[in-house]
Amino acid sequence: MSKPRTIAIDGPAASGKSTLARRLARALHYLYFDTGVLYRAVTWAALQRGLSPADEDAMTRLAETLDIQVRPPSQDDGRSNDVWVDGRDVTWAVRAPEVDAWVSVVAAHPGVRRALVDVQRRIGRQGRVVMVGRDIGTVILPDADLKIYLDASTEERARRRYHEARQRGEAVDYASILAALQERDRLDASRAVAPLRPAADAVVIHSDGLDADAVFRRVMDLIRRRNSAPAEPVP
Ligand code: CDP
């Protein structure tokens, strides 16, 4: 079957994007690329260096010069990729609550986004890729063959993050996870450059009440149906 060469998956935090993307990439033998790690890597490095995430010039310089490496996973501990910054494996460090708290401030700086566009497009344009983020269908790959916007209520998304953290043995409370998620969504959706929103031609899926299997099956059905649809008649 002729599969979509590029699949863009956007949506708010914890809407199930990475789970869906990982499964699609496995089923189609595509590369899975989670663009959030780039913004997280810059944020992690800023906090390490004692730089202010609100300082646009400093964040832009950091994003332009930082050596971020995304490589195949070296360990079987649930990671999809290794993320290396400054010669250190920061795969889990970039998921820390301090990074969660600041990443949307860093990602709102136009200079930071500009610095990270090229690397994302280069990977996207090679094709056979499932790319995940906030602006993949709108800005990074506006010509993506299939665009999915995955959404869910804030409460459902906070519940998922809460259970994931509990499973990792972290002491977390639901109310602070919910508040952090709401703040990140607010910043992501209201920024001037590349705000979080569905592309006009995206298929929007609300996943409240749907488990990961059901979402995956729905997207695979979509891919099959698009393949079997009759070609547009030539006028
Ligand atoms: O996994 P989760 O949905 O919590 O977040 P993520 O995908 O790792 O993204 C972390 C943050 O990076 C988002 O809240 C956005 O502020 C930013 N981001 C972005 O602005 N554009 C992207 N393409 C990906 C992430």
Side-chain angles (χ1 to χ4, degrees), residues 102-145:
W102 286 108
V103 64
S104 293
V105 172
V106 173
H109 297 312
V112 169
R113 305 201 72 82
R114 216 177 307 119
L116 299 177
V117 161
D118 284 349
V119 58
Q120 297 177 72
R121 289 209 175 123
R122 214 167 34 243
I123 293 171
R125 287 186 179 148
Q126 289 167 4
R128 299 179 59 88
V129 65
V130 186
M131 248 172 131
V132 178
R134 301 291 187 286
D135 60 344
I136 309 303
T138 50
V139 174
I140 302 295
L141 301 176
D143 298 330
D145 296 324

Side-chain angles (χ1 to χ4, degrees), residues 86-203:
D86 287 349
R88 273 178 68 180
D89 180 348
V90 297
T91 310
W92 294 117
V94 299
R95 307 263 159 213
E98 309 85 79
V99 175
D100 271 356
W102 286 108
V103 64
S104 293
V105 172
V106 173
H109 297 312
V112 169
R113 305 201 72 82
R114 216 177 307 119
L116 299 177
V117 161
D118 284 349
V119 58
Q120 297 177 72
R121 289 209 175 123
R122 214 167 34 243
I123 293 171
R125 287 186 179 148
Q126 289 167 4
R128 299 179 59 88
V129 65
V130 186
M131 248 172 131
V132 178
R134 301 291 187 286
D135 60 344
I136 309 303
T138 50
V139 174
I140 302 295
L141 301 176
D143 298 330
D145 296 324
L146 176 64
K147 300 179 185 179
I148 305 286
Y149 186 90
L150 197 54
D151 210 348
S153 68
T154 320
E155 290 73 20
E156 173 71 28
R157 293 185 285 116
R159 256 193 308 278
R160 291 178 190 164
R161 274 289 139 96
Y162 174 77
H163 289 300
E164 281 164 19
R166 289 293 295 264
Q167 266 175 4
R168 288 196 300 268
E170 291 166 25
V172 285
D173 76 286
Y174 174 78
S176 7
I177 290 186
L178 179 66
L181 216 73
Q182 279 168 327
E183 177 59 4
R184 199 138 64 84
D185 287 352
R186 190 187 65 74
L187 289 169
D188 289 346
S190 64
R191 68 183 173 221
V193 175
L196 169 68
R197 62 176 173 80
D201 51 351
V203 177

Side-chain angles (χ1 to χ4, degrees), residues 49-96:
R49 291 166 197 202
L51 300 171
S52 164
D55 181 340
E56 167 152 22
D57 288 345
M59 292 306 103
T60 302
R61 266 196 308 279
L62 187 59
E64 284 169 351
T65 53
L66 196 65
D67 179 28
I68 308 170
Q69 306 266 347
V70 182
R71 307 179 188 155
S74 63
Q75 292 179 49
D76 186 14
D77 60 357
R79 64 181 65 195
S80 308
N81 290 104
D82 279 12
V83 184
W84 286 71
V85 173
D86 287 349
R88 273 178 68 180
D89 180 348
V90 297
T91 310
W92 294 117
V94 299
R95 307 263 159 213

